[in-house]
Amino acid sequence: MSSEDVTRILVVGGGYVGMYTALRLQRKLKQELRQGTVEVVVVDPEPYMTYQPFLPEAAAGSISPRHVVVPLRRVLPQCKVVIGEVTALDHEDHRATITTLAAEETGDGAVEVAYDELVLAPGSVSRTLPVPGLADVGIGFKTVEEAIGLRNHVLGQLDIASSTRDPAVRDAALTFVFVGGGYAGVEALAELEDMARYAVRYYHNIQPEDMKWILVEATNRILPEVGEEMGRYAVRELRARNIDVRLETRLDSCEKRIVQLSDGSRFPTRTLVWTAGVKPHPLLAATKMPLNEHGRVLCTPALQVDGVAHAWSAGDAAAVPDLTAGPDEPRALCAPNAQHAVRQSKVLAENIAASVRGGPIVDYAHKYVGSVASLGLHKGVAHLYGRKLKGYPAWFMHRAYHLSRVPTFNRKARVLAEWTLAGLFKREIVSLGSLENPRAEFELAAGTGRHNEAS
């Protein structure tokens, strides 16, 4: 997969940075791609990019799962999309080792890809701690599969609570614990609590006050991105909905589905959602790239890997100096969030195109404009351009901002249509947990000889 006549740009990762960078390279290098002098190869284990800010709404049923993801092959027709995982990088020799789905099936081994320019954008993974029992019962909230699985799980717990006479089983089923007070934890809890509160009206023996929703946060505030004042408002709003917000509290254990907190609380639960931060992708540690103390790739303001030629990075994987920081923050870095990732990818693509064509490159500088967060249907908080919003205006701003940021007009139109229909009709409260094991019914029939006419 190497040619001396072709400049190959290898993009490792198809998330925010990977997809947006490749998308812009398609436009900037249109002539070169058409002539075959440049080739852009995007490698990712999944054939789609997940727009993560929409995961809470997908979990609540406001958006269909297929509209939260963007198919890479559809939006990147001028690029070569490889569904696989980069397992090794030899940047001195400009070669990457990729394990593809076909290699796993045929046993032919990994594929080696030669490249000229490297974009490291593998993103991040959930950061877990050595909490006893966490690996056995914890549920993540970083992928669309986890979001939809959590929705089915919550609705399934309502079914369990409704059909049991055992008070211990009922209490555990109706207790939902979320660990982590950042965007993912707060928005997921708020949206799912909203959905569950609506759903229980269809259960004759469950009342909203029977459910226990608990948010555990190790620091003294939630949603630090929206500011201290809006963070306090968010806590008041959640507590007004009978959500138990526990600040300066840690999860000590969750063995055998018994949650034990650092404040001494101890209670059974069948739902423990872990959203306590992320960490850089393990691939970065396997490379010889310079990393900072948090495992992110050290980069220059121009998004080049510091001291490494023909290597670039941005987003969650990169430690990029924040040129807009004040004099009291001489070593400030850009926060690893979607706002910076999308904007960095634009500059990154421009610089790579300039490097290929022999032009000048520029530095990335973007002052953080603020944040928006949803607290459920028609509820939210926002801190944008110094202005603070809460309630319905903040919720509307949250939807408007993310609708403008989700890639492709196709996705924008579909999401807007779903929101419109959701405002006209009642919520869907169907659990499709059987989708997680679609062959179960067939296996049962094959194992017992049962036929449809006998069911």
Side-chain angles (χ1 to χ4, degrees), residues 403-426:
L403 184 65
S404 70
R405 293 300 173 187
V406 68
T408 77
F409 176 78
N410 178 294
R411 282 293 173 276
K412 295 184 199 308
R414 290 178 183 272
V415 169
L416 184 59
E418 285 198 308
W419 282 342
T420 303
L421 291 173
L424 298 175
F425 301 101
K426 295 181 179 180

Side-chain angles (χ1 to χ4, degrees), residues 116-357:
D116 299 283
E117 300 286 342
L118 173 68
V119 178
L120 270 176
S124 57
V125 297
S126 296
R127 176 175 60 87
T128 60
L129 298 176
V131 176
L134 178 61
D136 299 321
V137 302
I139 303 172
F141 197 80
K142 191 168 173 59
T143 67
V144 67
E145 294 87 355
E146 288 175 328
I148 303 309
L150 182 57
R151 168 187 169 80
N152 292 330
H153 174 81
V154 169
L155 292 172
Q157 298 312 300
L158 298 183
D159 290 331
I160 290 173
S162 176
S163 59
T164 184
R165 295 183 180 180
D166 188 328
V169 173
R170 177 184 168 91
D171 287 347
L174 294 178
T175 301
F176 307 94
V177 181
F178 288 68
V179 181
Y183 277 127
V186 172
E187 290 191 341
L189 181 148
E191 291 282 357
L192 285 165
E193 190 273 342
D194 229 9
M195 178 202 70
R197 181 179 291 270
Y198 177 88
V200 295
R201 67 177 64 182
Y202 298 104
Y203 291 82
H204 69 281
N205 58 351
I206 302 179
Q207 300 299 320
E209 53 269 22
D210 294 337
M211 297 185 293
K212 300 174 186 176
W213 294 82
I214 303 169
L215 177 64
V216 179
E217 168 55 39
T219 66
N220 62 355
R221 57 193 290 197
I222 66 172
L223 296 174
E225 297 87 353
V226 299
E228 188 173 349
E229 181 182 344
M230 290 296 96
R232 287 197 300 267
Y233 166 80
V235 171
R236 292 197 302 270
E237 169 68 22
L238 294 176
R239 286 174 173 167
R241 291 158 56 179
N242 204 31
I243 296 173
D244 186 357
V245 180
R246 304 197 181 196
L247 303 177
E248 298 184 273
T249 306
R250 298 180 309 278
L251 174 67
D252 286 345
S253 174
C254 52
E255 288 184 297
K256 299 180 180 179
R257 292 182 173 176
I258 303 295
V259 165
Q260 187 166 331
L261 304 179
S262 59
D263 62 5
S265 302
R266 190 171 182 273
F267 43 82
T269 179
R270 295 175 60 89
T271 308
L272 176 68
V273 184
W274 180 268
T275 62
V278 296
K279 62 181 180 181
H281 196 283
L283 170 66
L284 301 180
T287 69
K288 295 181 181 179
M289 301 295 173
L291 308 178
N292 70 356
E293 63 274 15
H294 299 296
R296 298 165 67 189
V297 179
L298 291 172
C299 292
T300 68
L303 306 176
Q304 291 177 304
V305 177
D306 196 10
V308 182
H310 305 293
W312 314 75
S313 189
D316 290 356
V320 180
D322 187 355
L323 299 183
T324 65
D328 56 332
E329 299 177 289
R331 301 181 62 186
L333 300 175
C334 294
N337 55 40
Q339 186 177 143
H340 279 301
V342 173
R343 286 175 168 83
Q344 285 174 357
S345 64
K346 179 180 178 180
V347 176
L348 178 56
E350 298 276 353
N351 283 347
I352 293 174
S355 177
V356 169
R357 292 172 173 171

Side-chain angles (χ1 to χ4, degrees), residues 47 51 92 114 138 150 318 358:
Y51 191 73
E92 292 182 1
L150 182 57

